Structure formats: C-alpha cells, structure tokens
C-alpha cells in the first residue's frame, strides 16, 4: 500500500492527483470549513497538531483499517493553522479494488481520525475576531471607540494564537505549556509495594509469631510464596514478593533474632497496589497545562523526559523618546532615566522570557529601520512611548506600514488610556504609553493576556476578588482606574491595601505593589471589607 501524508499551513489545492497512475476505484473526501460552529457564525477554524505523532498515527490507522478493507493507496493532506470559511481543512483520497471498498475505507478513516490522531481543533474564530492574516499596510481599527478593560482582554484572547510547540528536556520545561497529552506508559505504581517499613505476612495467617525468611529493600525484586508462619522484612517502597499479603508496621512488632512477634495488628494492609494511582494508557497531564515543579516530577517518574511544550515567544521591545537616557547616565535638564526597559525586562524574565531590547529616539526613520530587519522574527513587539496622539507619536502609522492591523487604539481606563493593540498574522504588537505606571498596568493586564494566548494555556487571564484592608477615600474619577495595591492573604482571604500615586508617571507605589485593583468609574469612597476585583502582578 502506498501512503502519502502531508501536514501543511498552505491552502490545499482544488485538484489533487492520485498518488499512483494505476488503481482500482479512487474516492476523495474534502472537509470544508463551514460558516457556523455550534449555531454561531464564524470566520475561520484553527487547527494544530503534533506533526511527527500525527503522521505516525495516520499511517498506523490506514494500515489497521486496510486489513478489513484492502487499500491500494492513500493520500491525506491536513491543513493546520487558521483556515477561513469555505476552504478545505482536510483532503483524503483512497484507492480500493472496488468502489464500495474505497467508500468504506474513507468512512472508517474519518470516523476514527478525531479519536486516534493528535490533530486538534483549537478554536472557532468568530466573525468579529481578528485571526485572519492581514495584508500589508492594513489599518483597520476593530474598536473605533475607546475599549473597556473587558473588551480589550476579550479581543486579545481572540487574536492571540498558540506558538508552535517544541520538545525540551525537563530542566527547561518549568512554566511552559504542555501541547500533547501525557499518558501513563504502565500502571502507576507498576507493582504492589509497601507503604511503610515493616513485615509482610500472609493476610490469612492469624499467627502471632513468625519466622523471618527474607529481607527486601526498596529496589529489590525477590518473588516468593510465603507459607503460614513466615514473614519478610520489607522497606517502604519495596516490591511485595507475592499476592495476598499484609504489611505490619515496624512500630507494632517485636523482633528477637529471626523471630517476629506481632504485638498489634489491624486490618490496614499498608500496600500501594499496582495501578491504584493510574492505569496504563490513562491521561496524567492534559494539553494546555502549565508545567509546575509537581507536574515535572510526575513526568520524570514515568520517564517522559522530553515533553512537547510551547516555544518561548520571541519578544522585541523598543523604548522610544528623545528624553530618555540610560539608567547609568546622569540626565541633563529635560531628560529622564529610562525605567521602562528595566520594567519590561523584569516582567518578561519573571515569565521565563528574555526579550531583545533596543532604545531609540523619536526619529521615525531610525525606528523604522530598526524594526524592519528583525521584526518578522518576533512573536510579540512592544513599543514604549509614541502611543498617544501628539505630533511625535507615530506608533500607529509605523505598525500600519509594517503590515499590522490596528485593533485597539485607546482604552477607557487610567492609567493606560493611549494603548495600541495590533496584529499581523499570528504576531501581535502593543504600543504602550510612555509613563511607567501606565506601563505597569498595561503589561500586567494586556501583555500578560497576550502571552497566555501565545502559550496555548488553558487558564484565562482575568480578575479575582478580595477585600479592602482599610478605608479608602479619593476623588471620584469618570474613568475606571486600575489602582496599584499590596496583596496579602490573611486566613485564606485576599486583603488589598491601596497604595498612593499621583500620576501615571509616579513610580513610588511600584516598590511594594503586587496587585492592581479595579476601581469603577465614579467611585470615590470605599469602606474596609468592600469586595473588589483585582489581578496579581506576580506570575
């Protein structure tokens, strides 16, 4: 049987020739993206796959099916990434000796494809979403009016798609997002083993005294059938020598030479039985899980030493402004030290990302030159400053010239009103307001949401609820405010202390801030114990 398999990000041709010149009956199937999903209109579907395993499983599946329905040849093409409505997501062509056999082959293959092959429909993209690649010089603004916090985060979630996966060693996997299910290769635990230090005796042996016939340490394998009156000393984790045993704890016995005297015996068997944690083939860690130290310990315990995880995003950060100088320099009158570069670097490093950073002035040509060469190699572009509407604020025009589609040009909140969010294919870009407190807000609300989307993680960025630790009084503001705060957990309750700040350029509150609290518009006085929404700024 001749099999050809292709996993591609390119459109599937309208005409696909059979893989061989001579065949019996050639039957084709095309899966075309429909305009609705679960009753709602969509613009596209997005698929992802673990290509090596997917190809292997497709070959196995075709070979297995062909034992019942002889197959002469088969060609399978599956498109990955974002597939617009009306375009082909999968093409299957098979050759059988007769037409009925060929139809049966296609039918069974499609029935089993979803359950057997690691190709996943990641999401359906609504008609209002923005994942379609944008033509160069596009400047469509999705939100022509200022966007609220909720609208901004929702749009970022829609626009950001997971970066391609890679296999990495366990030493590099902490904090990364798993992109393939991890299953138990064998029963867990793989054998009956003692959960305590003690002595194994037959469960049906009521004797009080036993002869110690062997000693088993963890790592030993000494199978034997115990007779009545016999006992085996065994360490915690040691493999039980046979079935039908009970382990009596060392604290409940007395040993004289090779004779064991049981002084107390209950019904507890003190055995961790084979497969009680998980059976062979069961899923242990699911797709989208952020790998913690505990998850990595689990992977190590089953020998899964090269997990498939999302590649770390390539991030380019450009700090603009004629007034900024290096922190090592003494600023002249009219200049300030650059704090945003340090802020962005620390924010990214806390998430395991090392950004590339450059500092330029307000020379449009210089910035354009700096971006054009490397920009296509980055998944996330951050431009500090130039996001407002002043004479020298040209981030919008710059991103449009680079082929990005502007999705948001401002928000309704403070700090951080002049926020720009743009997309170009699977790449995303932010124009961040230059003031450092506004930077802090936008990083922890919006850039954090983008990083989560790029990772392919299951969790969603959003607000939690806590209690105000002290009375709070401030002038009511017509705009919703993201207020820097100190978060502490007391008796399991999130306690929030709002920190003073005077303007979006005020960095003093950030020395102790580890949260942002949502203060609704028009709210000026709050009493201790008031329930408030917040986000933690510590990953």
């Amino acid at each position: 049987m001749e099999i050809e398999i292709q996993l591609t990000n390119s459109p599937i041709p309208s005409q696909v020739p059979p893989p061989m010149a001579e065949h019996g009956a050639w039957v084709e199937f095309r899966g075309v993206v429909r305009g609705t999903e679960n009753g709602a209109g969509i613009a596209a579907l997005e698929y992802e796959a673990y290509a090596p395993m997917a190809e292997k499983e497709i070959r196995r599946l075709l070979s297995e099916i062909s034992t019942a329905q002889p197959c002469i040849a088969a060609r399978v093409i599956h498109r990955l990434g974002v597939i617009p409505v009306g375009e082909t997501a999968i093409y299957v062509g098979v050759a059988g000796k007769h037409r009925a056999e060929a139809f049966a082959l296609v039918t069974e293959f499609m029935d089993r494809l979803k359950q057997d092959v690691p190709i996943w429909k990641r999401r359906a993209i609504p008609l209002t979403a923005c994942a379609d690649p944008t033509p160069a010089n596009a400047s469509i603004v999705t939100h022509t009016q200022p966007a609220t916090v909720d609208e901004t985060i929702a749009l970022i979630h829609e626009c950001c798609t997971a970066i391609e996966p890679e296999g990495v060693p366990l030493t590099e996997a902490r904090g990364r997002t798993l992109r393939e299910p991890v299953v138990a290769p064998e029963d867990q635990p793989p054998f009956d083993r003692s959960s305590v230090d003690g002595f194994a005796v037959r469960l049906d042996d009521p004797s009080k005294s036993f002869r110690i016939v062997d000693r088993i340490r963890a790592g030993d394998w000494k199978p034997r059938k115990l007779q009545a009156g016999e006992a085996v000393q065994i360490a915690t984790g040691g493999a039980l020598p046979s079935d039908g045993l009970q382990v009596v704890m060392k604290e409940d016995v007395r040993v004289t030479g090779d004779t064991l005297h049981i002084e107390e015996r209950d019904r507890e068997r003190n055995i961790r039985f084979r497969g009680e944690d998980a059976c062979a083939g069961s899923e242990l860690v699911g797709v989208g899980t952020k790998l913690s130290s505990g998850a990595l310990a689990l992977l190590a315990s089953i020998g899964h030493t090269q997990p498939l995880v999302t590649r770390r995003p390539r991030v380019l950060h450009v700090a603009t402004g004629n007034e900024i100088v290096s922190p090592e320099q003494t600023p002249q009158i009219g200049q300030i030290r650059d704090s945003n570069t340090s802020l962005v670097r620390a924010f990214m490093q806390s998430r395991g990302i090392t950004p590339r950073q450059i500092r330029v002035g307000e020379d449009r040509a210089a910035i354009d030159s700096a971006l054009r060469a490397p920009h296509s190699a980055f998944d996330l572009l951050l431009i500090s400053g130039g996001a407002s509407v002043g004479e020298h604020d040209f981030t919008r025009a710059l991103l449009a010239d680079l082929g990005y589609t502007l999705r948001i040009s401002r928000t309704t909140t403070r700090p951080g009103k002049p926020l720009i969010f743009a997309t170009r294919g699977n790449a995303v870009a932010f124009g961040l307001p230059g003031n450092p407190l506004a930077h802090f807000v936008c990083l922890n609300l919006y850039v954090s949401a983008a990083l989560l989307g790029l990772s392919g993680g299951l969790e969603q960025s959003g607000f939690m609820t806590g209690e105000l630790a002290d009375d709070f009084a401030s002038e009511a503001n017509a705009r919703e405010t993201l207020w820097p705060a100190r978060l502490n957990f007391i008796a399991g309750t999130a306690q929030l202390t709002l920190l003073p700040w005077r303007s979006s350029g005020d960095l003093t509150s950030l020395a102790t801030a580890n949260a942002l609290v949502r203060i609704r518009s028009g709210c000026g006085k709050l009493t201790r114990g008031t329930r408030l929404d917040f986000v933690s700024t510590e990953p």
Side-chain angles (χ1 to χ4, degrees):
M1 177 173 55
E2 184 177 344
I3 298 176
E4 291 187 14
I5 301 169
Q6 184 179 2
L7 302 178
T8 178
N9 290 310
S10 301
I12 298 174
S14 58
Q15 297 293 326
V16 180
M20 54 194 304
E22 296 182 4
H23 51 76
W26 179 253
V27 172
E28 297 180 323
F29 169 84
R30 283 179 179 268
V32 176
V33 177
R34 297 172 298 177
T36 59
E37 183 81 357
N38 297 323
I42 64 171
L45 291 177
E46 181 184 6
Y47 286 89
E48 67 177 9
Y50 177 35
M53 184 180 292
E55 182 172 342
K56 179 181 177 181
E57 286 302 299
I58 289 173
R59 289 186 182 277
R60 181 195 63 78
L61 184 56
L62 286 168
S63 298
E64 185 177 311
I65 293 173
S66 69
T67 59
Q69 304 286 350
C71 182
I72 300 171
R75 169 172 282 156
V76 178
I77 307 174
H78 204 304
R79 185 173 171 185
L80 305 178
V82 176
I83 308 168
V85 167
E87 297 189 14
T88 301
I90 183 172
Y91 167 90
V92 180
V94 298
K97 291 183 179 179
H98 305 286
R99 183 174 58 183
E101 292 176 345
F103 275 115
L105 281 166
V106 171
T107 301
E108 186 171 356
F109 176 78
M110 292 306 301
D111 285 344
R112 295 182 56 183
L113 176 69
K114 290 184 179 180
Q115 60 184 345
D116 287 8
V117 179
I119 298 176
W120 307 285
K121 185 193 295 183
R122 176 166 170 74
R123 62 172 180 155
I125 299 168
L127 288 170
T128 57
C130 57
D132 290 335
T134 338
N137 298 318
S139 57
I140 303 169
V141 180
T142 303
H143 282 265
T144 57
Q145 299 299 318
T148 65
V149 170
D150 295 327
E151 289 171 339
T152 303
I153 292 176
L155 184 59
I156 290 170
H157 283 158
E158 288 178 359
C159 291
C160 293
T161 59
I163 302 169
E164 74 275 6
E166 63 179 0
V168 300
L170 293 178
T171 53
E172 299 177 16
R174 185 176 182 276
R176 309 278 283 275
T177 299
L178 188 67
R179 297 288 291 279
E180 64 175 348
V182 174
V183 300
E186 64 268 323
D187 292 338
Q188 301 296 316
F191 52 84
D192 294 348
R193 58 188 186 186
S194 176
S195 63
V196 298
D197 289 332
F199 295 84
V201 298
R202 283 174 50 162
L203 185 64
D204 61 357
D205 188 346
S207 304
K208 295 290 186 180
S209 297
F210 297 82
R211 182 170 62 90
I212 301 172
V213 296
D214 207 346
R215 287 172 171 79
I216 297 175
R217 298 178 299 176
D220 289 343
W221 173 231
K222 297 181 178 180
R224 67 181 298 159
K225 188 76 173 177
L226 291 185
Q227 304 302 315
E230 293 183 338
V232 171
Q233 185 173 357
I234 190 166
T236 301
L240 273 298
S242 62
D243 296 331
L245 302 181
Q246 176 186 23
V247 179
V248 182
M249 295 177 64
K250 187 177 181 180
E251 295 87 338
D252 296 334
V253 305
R254 177 170 48 86
V255 177
T256 304
D258 287 336
T259 301
L260 169 72
H261 304 278
I262 295 181
E263 298 181 333
E264 186 177 341
R265 184 176 180 181
D266 56 26
R267 300 177 63 84
E268 181 62 48
R269 294 185 68 178
N270 296 315
I271 296 171
R272 290 192 59 212
F273 292 99
R274 174 176 176 171
E276 71 174 32
D277 296 341
C279 296
S282 62
E283 184 175 296
L284 299 178
V285 191
V287 174
T289 301
K290 185 177 180 180
L291 294 178
S292 62
S293 55
L296 294 177
L298 175 59
L299 266 57
S301 74
I302 61 171
H304 197 97
T305 59
Q306 197 82 6
L308 188 75
V309 298
T310 303
R311 171 178 59 76
R312 292 202 186 280
R314 295 183 289 260
V315 178
L316 173 63
H317 172 227
V318 182
T320 69
N322 288 339
E323 76 279 14
I324 61 172
V325 297
S326 169
E328 293 79 19
Q329 290 183 239
T330 300
Q332 303 299 313
I333 295 176
Q335 295 180 325
I336 58 172
R337 293 186 178 91
D338 174 17
S339 61
N340 287 332
T341 295
S342 296
L343 177 61
V344 170
R345 182 169 58 249
F347 173 85
M348 290 295 172
Q349 288 178 340
S350 70
R351 290 156 175 78
I353 301 166
T354 301
R356 179 186 172 191
Q357 295 183 290
I358 57 177
R359 185 185 295 119
V360 296
E362 292 176 355
D363 184 334
R364 167 69 185 274
I367 299 175
D368 185 74
S369 176
L371 289 178
R372 283 198 178 274
H375 87 277
S376 60
F378 291 89
D379 308 293
L380 174 60
L381 172 62
L382 304 177
I383 302 178
S384 293
S388 192
V389 292
E391 181 180 350
H392 300 289
D393 295 322
F394 44 73
T395 299
R396 291 173 181 76
L398 177 65
L399 290 175
D401 285 347
L402 290 171
Y404 285 86
T405 298
L406 273 65
R407 305 299 179 182
I408 290 173
S409 60
R410 50 187 170 158
T411 73
T412 62
T413 57
R414 67 170 192 143
K417 178 181 178 180
L419 172 81
I420 295 172
F421 173 61
T423 63
R424 199 191 75 158
N426 292 329
V428 296
F430 287 90
L432 303 173
N435 284 318
L437 184 54
H439 242 62
F440 184 79
V441 168
C442 291
L443 285 172
N444 285 285
L445 274 183
Y446 308 129
V447 176
S448 180
L451 289 174
L452 181 59
L454 293 174
S455 77
L458 290 175
E459 69 272 26
Q460 290 288 303
S461 58
F463 290 90
M464 299 174 283
T465 303
E467 291 183 357
L468 189 61
D470 300 292
D471 291 347
F472 168 78
S474 178
E475 291 184 10
N477 196 284
R479 285 160 50 203
E480 185 174 45
T481 302
L482 281 305
W483 203 285
R486 183 66 192 172
L487 166 66
N488 292 293
F489 283 91
I490 301 176
T493 300
Q495 296 287 327
L496 300 160
T497 302
L498 301 184
L499 302 172
W501 59 284
R502 294 171 180 80
S503 71
S504 59
D506 185 357
L507 277 165
T508 56
S509 65
L510 298 188
T512 56
N514 62 353
L516 290 169
V517 174
R518 193 173 190 174
I519 306 295
R520 303 290 182 171
S521 60
C523 185
K525 185 176 182 179
L526 298 169
T527 57
R528 178 180 178 180
T530 300
R531 303 288 289 177
L532 295 170
D533 292 340
F534 74 94
V535 291
S536 172
T537 60
E538 294 183 349

